[in-house]
Every structure is written in structure tokens, then in C-alpha cells.
Amino acid sequence: MSKEIIICCGINRSGSTWVYQVMQELYLDEKIIDLGFVDSDFVLLKEAIKENGEIILAKMHNHPNGLKSLLSGHQVKLVYSHRDLRACILSLTKKTGKPFDKVYKMSFFEEAVLSLSNWQSYDHITYIDYKDIKGESEKAVKQIASFLQIKNINTKLITEKFSIERQKKRIKSYKRSPKFILRILLHKLRLAPLPKDENSLLHFNHIQSGSIEEWKNIFTKEQSEIVKNTYSEWMNFFKYE
């Protein structure tokens, strides 16, 4: 049976978690298969397609080989979040504690950027600008709802529910949980990845301080040019100078 498969995709640190939370909220009253983050082997997605249920929600960054074939015959809708890659890289340096030279060519980040053309091969895709998520959240909510053809929603209420202040409270609550304490210990022992709240998909260090264009004051001109040249096709498509 053909399913409606809605994937939140795009670049790491571009507001994709916020986008996915909004998508979950928009389908709160619907019977859906909510997968959360799907790994590159997309096993969860393969299993979900076999299950009962007409709508599947998933979050991904890169487009792995074989995904297009798996999704063939289904109605696929993509919500792609984007942000200046230099800002994404700066955010990743803060989150990982690693320097620019180690971060900008990280395999997972590079794969996400290079996946753009694959995501664009689908018929239905909309692009959500990080500047709108940060500065005009209600506008972004309306764009997502319109694209998914969901009407009669309270955009103001959804915007408030996923405001920075509310997100910080979710993270604070998660960091107090026994599950987080166990997982951070396992991470320090290199036995587990960075812990995140499986409900909200927020990492314990998800939100960082700084302005949208902070990278201009941090990165050198040479570092800025390295990013522009390395990922020129992506940067040009979204018109990041």
C-alpha cells in the first residue's frame, strides 16, 4: 500500500530538529508512524513501510544509497532546512569542541551537503531558511503547514511551544533524568554517542549562544573561502555569499 512519507532533511545545525518538532505537532491528532532520526542504513524506514499506517514521519540529513528505490511508489514530501554552512560549521565546533580544520570536512557533514542533489530529485520539496526559524518562526510554521496541506492550525501556539525558552527547559529537564546521567557516563567511556532526548530529539548541548552571523567575527577570510570553495554548488544554490 502506498504511503505518505514525510522527511525532514537538510544540513546539521540548520534548525532541522525544530522543523521535525513542528511536523510532529502538526500531525498530533493523526495516526502516524513517527520514526524520529533515521540512520544511514534506514532500517527503521524499511520496517515502517511494511507496517499499517498511511503516514510516516522521519528525520534524516544525508541521502544514502538505495533510499530512492525504497521510496519509489510512495508519496514523498521533503522539508529541507538550510543555513549558511559557515554558521553550521561554527555551531559544530562549539558542540563537538573540535577546531575548524577538523569539522568542515567531517564525513557526516560533507555527506549531508552533497545529498542536496539527491533530495532535489523528488517532486515535492520545500526549503526552510534558518533565519526564518530564528527570526520569524510563525512564518516558518505556516510554510511547513501549507506545504503539507494542513489547515486550521494555531501557528502562534506552535511557535510558542517550540520557542528557545521552552526548548531550554526541555533540555534542562532531560539533563536531570537518570537516563541522561547513564548515557553521559557511557559517552565519556566512548561506549555511546552524545546523549539526546528521544522524545524531543534535543541533545544536551543542542542550543548555543551567539548571533546568526557570528561566524563572520570568528572565522578568518581564508576559512570562509575554504567553505565557499569546498561546497560552492550548495552555497550558490542558496545564494550564500
Side-chain angles (χ1 to χ4, degrees), residues 3-7 20 23 32-35 45 48-50 53-58:
K3 297 184 186 296
E4 183 177 359
I5 301 175
I6 304 163
I7 301 177
Y20 193 76
M23 287 166 46
I32 64 169
I33 303 173
D34 186 354
L35 299 181
L45 190 53
I49 288 175
K50 299 175 184 177
E54 298 179 357
I55 302 173
I56 298 173
L57 294 188

Side-chain angles (χ1 to χ4, degrees), residues 8 12 18 27 29 31 45 62 68 83 87 99 117-118 122 126 133 157 162 168 209 222 233:
C8 167
N12 311 73
W18 181 91
Y27 284 99
D29 297 327
K31 186 178 180 181
L45 190 53
N62 67 313
K68 183 89 173 183
R83 179 186 188 186
S117 59
N118 289 317
Y122 295 85
T126 191
I133 294 174
L157 190 65
F162 300 110
K168 286 181 178 179
S209 59
E222 180 184 8
E233 186 175 344

Side-chain angles (χ1 to χ4, degrees), residues 3-7 71 74-78 122-124:
K3 297 184 186 296
E4 183 177 359
I5 301 175
I6 304 163
I7 301 177
L71 299 180
H74 299 283
Q75 184 181 4
V76 181
K77 296 180 180 179
L78 307 175
Y122 295 85
D123 294 331
H124 304 288

Side-chain angles (χ1 to χ4, degrees), residues 4-239:
E4 183 177 359
I5 301 175
I6 304 163
I7 301 177
C8 167
C9 52
I11 303 302
N12 311 73
R13 311 304 298 165
S14 68
S16 58
T17 298
W18 181 91
V19 169
Y20 193 76
Q21 290 174 325
V22 169
M23 287 166 46
Q24 288 176 310
E25 190 70 15
L26 292 174
Y27 284 99
L28 196 61
D29 297 327
E30 300 285 340
K31 186 178 180 181
I32 64 169
I33 303 173
D34 186 354
L35 299 181
F37 186 76
V38 175
D39 291 324
S40 294
D41 59 9
F42 50 90
V43 171
L44 287 176
L45 190 53
K46 291 177 184 176
E47 294 174 348
I49 288 175
K50 299 175 184 177
E51 296 178 15
N52 293 326
E54 298 179 357
I55 302 173
I56 298 173
L57 294 188
K59 180 176 183 282
M60 306 178 76
H61 290 299
N62 67 313
H63 186 287
N65 293 331
L67 182 62
K68 183 89 173 183
S69 176
L70 177 69
L71 299 180
S72 178
H74 299 283
Q75 184 181 4
V76 181
K77 296 180 180 179
L78 307 175
V79 184
Y80 188 104
S81 60
H82 65 93
R83 179 186 188 186
D84 191 311
L85 294 182
R86 291 160 293 196
C88 295
I89 291 167
L90 176 59
S91 183
L92 281 169
T93 64
K94 291 181 178 181
K95 186 177 180 183
T96 64
K98 296 180 179 179
F100 171 87
D101 291 343
K102 297 288 185 181
V103 170
Y104 88 94
K105 287 284 284 182
M106 279 183 166
S107 59
F108 71 84
F109 184 75
E110 186 175 31
E111 288 169 9
V113 176
L114 296 179
S115 288
L116 176 61
S117 59
N118 289 317
W119 293 124
Q120 290 176 326
S121 68
Y122 295 85
D123 294 331
H124 304 288
I125 183 170
T126 191
Y127 301 99
I128 305 295
D129 193 326
Y130 182 80
K131 287 185 177 179
D132 288 338
I133 294 174
K134 289 285 286 185
E136 298 185 67
S137 300
E138 198 165 348
K139 173 186 172 183
V141 171
K142 288 179 181 178
Q143 181 183 339
I144 297 168
S146 175
F147 174 71
L148 299 177
Q149 297 181 312
I150 298 175
K151 300 178 181 179
N152 303 319
I153 61 166
N154 190 329
T155 54
K156 185 176 181 181
L157 190 65
I158 295 174
T159 300
E160 290 174 350
K161 184 171 182 177
F162 300 110
S163 65
I164 288 291
E165 292 73 22
R166 298 280 288 275
Q167 300 283 50
K168 286 181 178 179
K169 287 182 179 179
R170 290 185 182 95
I171 293 172
K172 188 175 182 179
S173 176
Y174 173 61
K175 288 171 71 174
R176 291 173 176 168
S177 69
K179 183 180 288 188
F180 168 77
I181 295 169
L182 174 61
R183 289 189 176 184
I184 198 67
L185 287 173
L186 291 173
H187 174 69
K188 289 179 179 179
L189 294 171
R190 298 186 178 183
L191 297 174
L194 281 170
K196 69 179 176 183
D197 182 352
E198 296 300 333
N199 294 319
S200 67
L201 299 185
L202 292 167
H203 292 275
F204 75 96
N205 59 351
H206 209 109
I207 298 174
Q208 295 142 9
S209 59
S211 64
I212 289 178
E213 297 190 336
E214 183 187 11
W215 64 267
K216 291 182 178 180
N217 300 320
I218 303 295
F219 291 156
T220 64
K221 184 177 180 181
E222 180 184 8
Q223 288 172 323
S224 174
E225 289 300 315
I226 286 174
V227 178
K228 285 178 64 178
N229 293 333
T230 302
Y231 302 115
S232 58
E233 186 175 344
W234 192 98
M235 294 285 280
N236 290 334
F237 177 79
F238 288 109
K239 297 180 171 58

